[in-house]
Amino acid sequence: MSVVLFTLGGTIAMAGAGPTGVVTRLTGAELAAAVPGLADLPLQVRDVQAVPSADLTYRRILDLVAEAGAAVADGATGVVVTQGTDTLEETAFLADLVWPHPAPLVFTGAMRNPTLAGPDGPANLLAAVRVAAAPAARDLGVLVAVNDEIHAARYVRKTHSTSTATFASPNAGPLGHVIEGEVRLLTRPARHAPLAVDPDRLANTRVALHTVTVDDDVALLDALAHGRQGLVVAGFGVGHVPPAFAPALGALADRMPVVLTSRTGAGSVLRHTYGAVGSETDLQRRGLINGGLLDPYKAKVLLRLLLAGGADRAGVAAAFARHG
Ligand code: ASP
């Protein structure tokens, strides 16, 4: 049994508070050395990149998934990735969409950097390693272990800017917990088949996201969609937009997949309840694809991967029907 730890920077690895603030500088070996109890677990460390998570790219995460897959093929029981929490809900979902292995791939990070009182990084790293080593965590795809909770990458969101309890799965709850060091899984959602992505095509596939606001400016849409192959709209409530947006979005949907999501942070967009111009029924009639329970950020990840895999409009709609 062995776990491989890949480090990508973030608050968990930040140090050196000075006039300019903390920066990413701790290595995986230093992170591991700060965790009581980790020395008893076999861990191999691979430092990949030391950056704030705003610097991460799809390409970097896809390369990491390939490296993690090679580690599993070499016999690792599971893999842990440390990174900044800011983008973790997107990167973990991206990894989940392409991770083909039964072995757990577990993302974690920290909200309090190691120079603060009560940093949460060591506890999160230990929990993540325990999850990665647990037979019960196999066949669940990519997981997020933070605050002694285990979340599915496909459901988890960062819900607070500073709280150590920031990660939550509003639509599903956590899949399980780490209790006195034991991994306890309460529910096992079925996995979807992994997506195939062409990394070269990915570089030329751009997807935009627009969040509607009251009295919004419809002229923004054309500029936003220009040069992009797809658009995600974060609508009000159950998937509504100002009336002036409806024909504009319909015209865009003739040219590219446009996915309708909710900006609320939890719950699904509806399919057949409201009938006004700009409501979900009107937008679907105009060709928008229903994003279901996927939040706007996850919908953007899925749409970009689908387009980078060569999916046409029907393929995109079918994938959102499965994943949403
Ligand atoms: N800004 C940091 C980052 O995402 C926050 C964190 O690590 O939690 O890298």
Side-chain angles (χ1 to χ4, degrees), residues 57-287:
T57 61
Y58 281 45
R59 185 63 192 254
R60 175 67 265 167
I61 298 301
L62 290 175
D63 287 348
L64 180 82
V65 167
E67 291 158 44
V72 166
D74 276 355
T77 312
V79 175
V80 172
V81 178
T82 56
Q83 68 151 82
T85 56
D86 288 350
T87 62
L88 196 150
E89 66 195 285
E90 292 171 69
T91 56
F93 182 55
L94 165 53
D96 188 50
L97 287 171
V98 297
W99 180 246
H101 305 284
L105 175 56
V106 187
F107 280 62
T108 196
M111 296 300 289
R112 294 198 195 119
N113 74 65
T115 69
L116 298 175
D120 51 332
N124 287 343
L125 180 56
L126 182 57
V129 172
R130 287 195 158 124
V131 174
R138 290 177 71 77
D139 289 311
L140 287 171
V142 176
L143 300 169
V144 174
V146 171
N147 206 28
D148 279 341
E149 291 184 343
I150 305 161
H151 294 264
R154 74 175 100 155
Y155 299 138
V156 79
R157 302 202 60 169
K158 184 171 184 177
T159 64
H160 194 284
S161 60
T162 57
S163 169
T164 54
T166 183
F167 284 99
S169 299
N171 291 323
L175 300 190
H177 302 268
V178 180
I179 302 170
E180 295 182 318
E182 293 291 315
V183 173
R184 297 283 305 277
L185 281 150
L186 308 174
T187 180
R188 303 186 67 83
R191 291 178 73 179
H192 298 296
L195 301 179
V197 179
D198 173 353
D200 295 327
R201 196 169 176 151
L202 178 76
N204 298 317
T205 305
R206 309 304 308 190
V207 169
L209 166 62
H210 179 76
T211 304
V212 296
T213 51
V214 78
D215 202 17
D216 208 350
D217 179 3
V218 73
L220 293 171
L221 274 186
D222 269 341
L224 190 66
H226 182 73
R228 269 97 200 183
Q229 288 75 47
L231 173 69
V232 174
V233 181
F236 302 122
V238 297
H240 295 177
V241 299
F245 273 62
L249 288 171
L252 283 175
D254 288 341
R255 292 174 20 211
M256 63 178 67
V258 180
V259 177
L260 181 64
T261 61
S262 171
R263 67 175 204 170
T264 57
S268 177
V269 286
L270 294 184
R271 293 177 194 277
H272 49 72
T273 297
Y274 291 90
V277 174
S279 67
E280 81 282 1
T281 59
D282 178 45
L283 296 173
Q284 288 171 138
R285 243 186 333 266
R286 295 175 193 267

